[in-house]
Amino acid sequence: MIKAVLTIDDIASANTPALVDYLVEKHIPALMFAVGEHIEKYPENVIYALQHGMVVGNHSYSHPDFAGIPYEEGIREIEKCEELLEDIYRKAGVERNYRPFRFPYGSKGGKNKDKYEQYFRDNGFSKLDDRKIGYSWWKESGLDKDIDTLWTFDFAEYRIRPGSGFSITNVLKRVHDSDPAEGGVLLEEGSYHIILMHDHEETLAMVPDYYKIMLEHVMENGVTFERPEFL
Ligand SMILES: [Zn+2]
């Protein structure tokens, strides 16, 4: 048995409702991280995700690399997205029970990392339940203590871009990588994962139905998706 929580970054896009429909059809409850600017662009699509049972968390307002901006600017990025999330949950008529956050690019805020983690603790942000992750490096890196949500497996499908030479074949190969340079071995029996994928129109233009191809492939190979729970 391989279990995983599916996380989907950078929502919303024009395709979000179709993505949500697919997740509902496959009984995959996902944790989605929204970019504030994308909430402003596609509010109805975020409402659609909320009303179909997805949890939507904070992925900053404009998706900067937090290692490269002052701490105060980072807090403004987080709080601006928080305001939009409060508003969109209200408009959706869905109670907001959890406040997960994910750093863009997984950068953790560089030298300000500890300050951000303290901010998350002081301001009621939610930690995804990661207690079933068995990788020693998860604890050795202190990730079990961090409030923000990182991942253990990245599909890296955002690398499929014109001229990149990276294709859906490469994405599916990574699923079977038994010695990945980063993250954990996805198909290791008994493992537990936080899987990362993205809601990107650019990827969809390159590979129609990319998310169906990826998710069906991992499910065929024994991965079961669980509801995100928080500590
Ligand atoms: Zn992102």
Side-chain angles (χ1 to χ4, degrees):
M1 199 79 161
I2 303 153
K3 291 184 176 175
V5 169
L6 179 63
T7 63
I8 303 176
D9 284 11
D10 302 350
I11 75 155
S13 76
N15 188 59
T16 304
L19 169 60
V20 168
D21 286 345
Y22 174 75
L23 297 172
V24 169
E25 180 195 325
K26 296 293 175 185
H27 307 286
I28 303 174
L31 169 54
M32 301 177 142
F33 286 98
V35 175
E37 287 176 341
H38 300 176
I39 300 174
E40 289 177 336
K41 191 169 179 193
Y42 297 106
E44 294 304 323
N45 294 357
V46 182
I47 289 170
Y48 192 87
L50 290 172
Q51 291 180 340
H52 287 81
M54 306 299 149
V55 177
V56 178
N58 185 324
H59 195 38
S60 82
Y61 178 71
S62 69
H63 206 274
D65 179 351
F66 276 62
I69 59 172
Y71 173 72
E72 294 69 24
E73 191 181 332
I75 296 300
R76 278 198 297 276
E77 281 279 339
I78 296 166
E79 293 187 342
K80 203 166 169 189
C81 188
E82 272 305 294
E83 284 168 23
L84 288 162
L85 285 169
E86 281 296 315
D87 183 55
I88 208 78
Y89 264 85
R90 198 165 43 240
K91 283 177 179 152
V94 173
E95 194 181 342
R96 191 173 180 214
N97 296 317
Y98 309 110
R99 296 168 182 274
F101 176 81
R102 174 171 277 162
F103 284 104
Y105 315 106
S107 85
K108 294 266 186 188
K111 64 176 169 46
N112 293 318
K113 175 183 180 290
D114 291 347
K115 279 163 84 176
Y116 284 118
E117 295 299 338
Q118 191 59 48
Y119 170 85
F120 297 140
R121 278 189 286 273
D122 292 345
N123 288 277
F125 281 79
S126 307
K127 176 173 176 54
L128 184 67
D129 186 353
D130 60 354
R131 290 174 298 181
K132 286 187 250 176
I133 294 173
Y135 297 106
S136 54
W137 52 263
W138 188 263
K139 283 186 181 164
E140 284 158 12
S141 318
L143 293 166
D144 60 325
K145 302 277 188 297
D146 289 351
I147 305 298
D148 68 288
T149 310
L150 203 67
W151 56 82
T152 62
F153 180 81
D154 176 6
F155 273 115
E157 84 290 352
Y158 49 84
R159 290 169 60 187
I160 306 172
R161 289 292 181 270
S164 73
F166 195 84
S167 70
I168 190 74
T169 309
N170 298 105
V171 170
L172 299 184
K173 243 184 223 163
R174 286 173 54 84
V175 170
H176 296 270
D177 191 344
S178 58
D179 186 22
E182 52 191 52
V185 180
L186 179 61
L187 298 181
E188 184 176 54
E189 182 54 33
S191 60
Y192 191 90
H193 287 272
I194 301 170
I195 295 182
L196 165 63
M197 61 169 263
H198 296 76
D199 178 11
H200 283 175
E201 288 160 24
E202 297 88 340
T203 312
L204 203 61
M206 297 285 291
V207 185
D209 287 343
Y210 73 91
Y211 52 91
K212 297 182 185 176
I213 295 168
M214 288 165 20
L215 295 176
E216 256 150 56
H217 188 76
V218 299
M219 287 188 285
E220 278 166 13
N221 281 280
V223 175
T224 307
F225 288 104
E226 295 201 323
R227 184 168 296 283
E229 304 283 356
F230 297 87
L231 296 175

